[in-house]
Amino acid sequence: MHDSLSRPVGPYSSGPPADALAVHIPDLERFGPAQLWRALVVGTVIAACALFATVTKPFTRRNMGWADAASEGVVNGFEFLGPTFVKLGQLMASSSGMFPPALANACLRCLDDVPPVPAAQARAVVEADLGHPIGELFAEFDDRPLAAASVAQVHACVLPDGRQAVIKVQRPGIRHRMLLDLRTAYWGARKLERLHDFFRIANATAIIRDLHNATMTELNSAVEADRQTRFRDALWTFGDNKGVTAPEVFWPYCGPHVICMERMHGVPFDRIESDESVDTRMLIRRGVKAWIEAITIHGPFHGDVHAGNLWLLDDGRVSLLDFGIVGELPEVWRSILRDMFHATLIDGDYSAVARGIRSLGYTSDLDATDAEIGAQVGAVLAPVFANDLGELKLSSLIGALVTIGRQWGVASPEELVLFGKQLGYFERYATRMAPGWVMGTDLYLFRNVFPDEVAARAEQLGVTLPED
């Protein structure tokens, strides 16, 4: 396909067709010889790597504790086993409150780049997707990737009109490898649910199903690019958030396995140097404000805000990157979250949250009033949002939600667990960038969510909210 200037372009030059946005979700419950073999490999590799790291500690890691050495071995196993386990390591690193400190710290290197696929393979994916040779599509294409992650790698390029861009290219064969691992993990989760009540209440199989659905969606580049575009378009709905952005997608150079987008220049949040020239507290407030508006008002919200996906750009703006994992709550759940924040920020009344949860059938058979259910929810969530976010322990939040689930006789509300996971990512930033910051009482974050109430409270308190 060519555009009006007879330049080669890809299949999505006019935007993705409807069928490109359809996500095929393979059967997760399939378990055969391949999955059994993989389970044996996974167990053997992790055990062997942990044992080797422990045995060699006196010779190679003398200044490291035994738990630290074993954890380093586990992460070595993750890296050997491939993309699914690297993603697991990223979760552990970014949600340290849920996991032993030694393991969470060792997993920090999962957030760094992984070895890229050869340039020839990346070029082949691009050319197969877009239907033209690299030299005809781009004025420049750098064979050395800027970054390489578990699912894809990113190459710099220059469009024919001179705009600087990057192109995100999926690793060849990645879908098959991750599907095998996810089926194996689902089998393991079912076993754990039978063995221990905690895993049943925590809904371990549902977590794997959600990860499976998210992964299969992430592997559809058209869906990722579409959600990134929708998120970016919604950022400036209310005329503010000028200090926040996301890369513009260049659809003529996108395909089923590649995304071409605006190139951003900056540094990840976890690499920002603290000095008087950078207001780090304001940076994280801006990022969280945009994220809260996305999740409670607009729909698509970034579902993987780990270190590396939030950048401080050279021009001072905050940019959200990598929309491979994007959530979109149904309106009823958006309403529940708005009620939850309203109770924390405005009036302390969680009964509206209880009514929303009842409407989903979670407590339909429970002999308790809305006020009583609301009190349970408030007891769990109010301390989280009314205290220093840097002191948040995600394990405590998840454990409390599991406790509520046990009291109600149902599995934990998965959407709230997802929300809690993202809070875990923000806790790492807040500890270093905004000590003492209380998210749940920061009027600025909710200016567009509760405009009248926030304006009245700000006037009452004599507070002037930032304009952007």
Side-chain angles (χ1 to χ4, degrees), residues 127-204:
E127 293 179 346
D129 259 28
L130 303 186
H132 300 281
I134 292 282
E136 295 181 9
L137 289 162
F138 304 106
E140 297 178 20
F141 184 91
D142 192 345
D143 281 335
R144 293 176 302 174
L146 294 171
S150 55
V151 172
Q153 61 193 50
V154 177
H155 291 260
C157 59
V158 178
L159 303 186
D161 61 9
R163 285 178 293 176
Q164 291 192 357
V166 296
I167 188 163
K168 182 177 179 180
V169 185
Q170 280 186 26
R171 291 173 175 267
I174 189 65
R175 180 184 177 90
H176 172 75
R177 292 177 62 190
M178 296 195 79
L179 179 58
L180 176 62
D181 283 341
L182 287 165
R183 283 172 169 164
T184 303
Y186 186 75
W187 174 81
R190 293 178 65 180
K191 297 295 184 185
L192 289 172
E193 286 187 346
R194 294 193 185 103
L195 291 173
H196 201 289
D197 185 58
F198 176 87
F199 293 101
R200 182 185 65 80
I201 296 296
N203 219 344

Side-chain angles (χ1 to χ4, degrees), residues 303-346:
D304 192 24
V305 290
H306 68 69
N309 284 347
L310 278 176
W311 276 31
L312 170 61
L313 301 184
D314 292 346
D315 62 12
R317 291 180 299 166
V318 173
S319 182
L320 288 91
L321 304 176
D322 192 355
F323 286 75
I325 299 177
V326 173
E328 186 165 0
L329 297 179
E331 175 54 34
V332 63
W333 270 111
R334 284 187 236 167
S335 177
I336 289 173
L337 288 179
R338 287 195 298 269
D339 290 338
M340 180 184 68
F341 280 124
H342 189 276
T344 303
L345 185 72
I346 306 298

Side-chain angles (χ1 to χ4, degrees), residues 58-120:
F59 310 102
T60 61
R61 302 177 176 88
R62 293 182 179 179
N63 297 326
M64 186 178 289
W66 292 103
D68 294 323
S71 297
E72 289 290 336
V74 170
V75 177
N76 290 339
F78 286 174
E79 292 178 341
F80 180 84
L81 291 167
T84 306
F85 294 90
V86 171
K87 277 191 168 294
L88 177 60
Q90 291 172 350
L91 169 64
M92 291 179 174
S94 299
S95 307
S96 55
M98 291 183 65
F99 305 98
L103 183 57
N105 290 332
C107 285
L108 285 172
R109 58 187 164 100
C110 291
L111 299 174
D112 297 330
D113 287 354
V114 299
V117 300

